[in-house]
Amino acid sequence: MTTGEILWALRADCPIPPRLSPHADQVQEWLLGVLPTLDLPLDDAALHRLSRGAFARYAGRLYPAATEADLRVLTALFTWFFLVDDACDGPNRLTPEQIRALRDGTLALLRDGPRARHAGLTGPLRQLLVLAWREPHQRMPAWWRLRVANAVARHLDGTWQEALNKETGHRPTVSEYVELRRSTSAAEVSYPLVEFAGGRQLPDPVYHHPLLREIAHVGNDLLSWYNDLASLERDRATAGGHNLVLALEGELAVSSAEAVELAAGRWRDSMRRFVGLRAVVPSFGPALDGAVSDHLDGIAYAVRGTIDWTVESARYPAATVQRASGA
């Protein structure tokens, strides 16, 4: 099977039903109207790629019940993360020192509010994050904002570590990669945003309950490894071994085709584990069970939403080529 065929086979094996916000396309139009006003260093071709990226549809798959106004906030946040990802992983990528400065500037804004200034976050990236963060900063409690800031810190720390690995030529082992990928995927940032979109918040002892954390980690692996399969050919040229398939190839000394099959097998095993873990979540009491259900649904939507967005987004030709062939 080709990688594209495997992507579509895994999609067919996913038991999580797809969801999509009815506001997604309107919010995508809003986004394309906003981006030119931010003076982003993007030419027409780059703006066209952003348009085809369909970030509002991605956010709309993860938060299908969000209001249109809240989906705008979430879409702006998603777009910010993708722009940062491109800046850190492209041909003219930021150095580890620049990523560290970006991290510090981003955390200053998230923790102290849109008025916070820091040399590490300036220009259009700062403007977009200010736009995206204004409503959550005003509406959500300080402890929740800290939860998001800590998740962003872990994500950017992971991005820094990956950049440092590339600079020094270190190719991660499979176990190193799996742990690092849980940071670089930004899934942990998407989880607390469920509380913003749904309006029901989880106290820290429940949010960090070992079983809920394990479900979150497995969900993170599922969406990350699916993305690794979709971006394999690009990562082979640019990622310095930071892809599950490439890590398996290097550690086990197997062919690319064998490593792809092994990665797909890991994905299927983890999906079975994900379903089993969700089935044994206990009740946390009537006051909290609704928020717990929202949280668990949000993790599931992140998995399924990443799958469905991947096969419709122009960012991943391996998946879209298979779609075009009639799969």
Side-chain angles (χ1 to χ4, degrees), residues 227-247:
N227 177 268
D228 282 0
L229 287 163
S231 60
L232 175 60
E233 293 313 311
R234 182 189 67 192
D235 288 350
R236 193 177 294 282
T238 65
H242 292 78
N243 180 296
L244 179 61
V245 176
L246 300 179

Side-chain angles (χ1 to χ4, degrees), residues 185-198:
S185 76
E188 294 286 345
V189 181
S190 76
Y191 299 156
L193 294 175
V194 172
E195 298 168 67
F196 168 75

Side-chain angles (χ1 to χ4, degrees), residues 171-178 241-254 259:
R171 299 176 72 90
T173 65
V174 173
S175 60
E176 286 176 337
Y177 175 74
V178 167
H242 292 78
N243 180 296
L244 179 61
V245 176
L246 300 179
L248 287 165
E249 281 183 32
E251 184 169 317
L252 302 180
V254 296

Side-chain angles (χ1 to χ4, degrees), residues 49-50 55 80-94 234 315:
R49 286 195 300 274
L50 278 177
F55 299 140
W80 185 87
F81 276 103
F82 276 108
L83 289 173
V84 168
D85 180 64
D86 288 345
C88 295
D89 201 34
N92 300 311
R93 59 178 178 255
L94 300 179
R234 182 189 67 192
R315 288 177 72 90

Side-chain angles (χ1 to χ4, degrees), residues 21 27 30-31 55-56 58-60 62-82 131-133 135-136 139 144 189-198:
S21 166
V27 173
W30 166 84
L31 176 67
F55 299 140
Y58 192 12
L62 269 65
Y63 311 101
T67 66
E68 183 173 349
D70 285 352
L71 190 60
R72 289 183 180 188
V73 170
L74 296 161
T75 297
L77 282 169
F78 274 44
T79 303
W80 185 87
F81 276 103
F82 276 108
L131 173 70
W133 191 240
E135 181 66 20
R139 198 163 92 200
W144 179 89
V189 181
S190 76
Y191 299 156
L193 294 175
V194 172
E195 298 168 67
F196 168 75

Side-chain angles (χ1 to χ4, degrees), residues 93-266:
R93 59 178 178 255
L94 300 179
T95 66
E97 294 75 17
Q98 290 171 319
I99 294 171
R100 179 66 72 184
L102 173 65
R103 170 202 185 275
D104 293 344
T106 299
L107 295 184
L109 192 152
L110 294 177
R111 289 170 176 166
D112 300 331
R115 294 185 179 182
R117 296 281 178 176
H118 190 285
L121 181 66
T122 58
L125 279 179
R126 184 183 186 281
Q127 293 178 51
L128 182 56
L129 189 57
V130 167
L131 173 70
W133 191 240
R134 184 178 293 116
E135 181 66 20
H137 185 265
Q138 291 176 350
R139 198 163 92 200
M140 301 299 283
W143 58 264
W144 179 89
R145 299 197 304 269
L146 181 60
R147 181 180 292 171
V148 174
N150 289 341
V152 173
R154 184 170 183 236
H155 168 66
L156 292 176
D157 284 343
T159 302
W160 171 83
Q161 183 62 58
E162 181 174 323
L164 188 63
N165 287 350
K166 291 176 183 177
E167 190 173 82
T168 60
H170 175 69
R171 299 176 72 90
T173 65
V174 173
S175 60
E176 286 176 337
Y177 175 74
V178 167
E179 184 58 34
L180 180 59
R181 189 68 171 98
R182 289 176 176 174
S183 300
T184 59
S185 76
E188 294 286 345
V189 181
S190 76
Y191 299 156
L193 294 175
V194 172
E195 298 168 67
F196 168 75
R200 294 195 283 196
Q201 296 153 27
L202 285 176
D204 277 346
V206 178
Y207 188 85
H208 295 291
H209 185 278
L211 179 56
L212 267 60
R213 288 291 83 204
E214 187 64 18
I215 292 170
H217 288 327
V218 178
N220 193 345
D221 293 341
L222 286 167
L223 67 89
S224 297
W225 300 346
Y226 194 89
N227 177 268
D228 282 0
L229 287 163
S231 60
L232 175 60
E233 293 313 311
R234 182 189 67 192
D235 288 350
R236 193 177 294 282
T238 65
H242 292 78
N243 180 296
L244 179 61
V245 176
L246 300 179
L248 287 165
E249 281 183 32
E251 184 169 317
L252 302 180
V254 296
S255 69
S256 177
E258 290 174 301
V260 167
E261 291 289 351
L262 287 170
R266 279 183 171 239

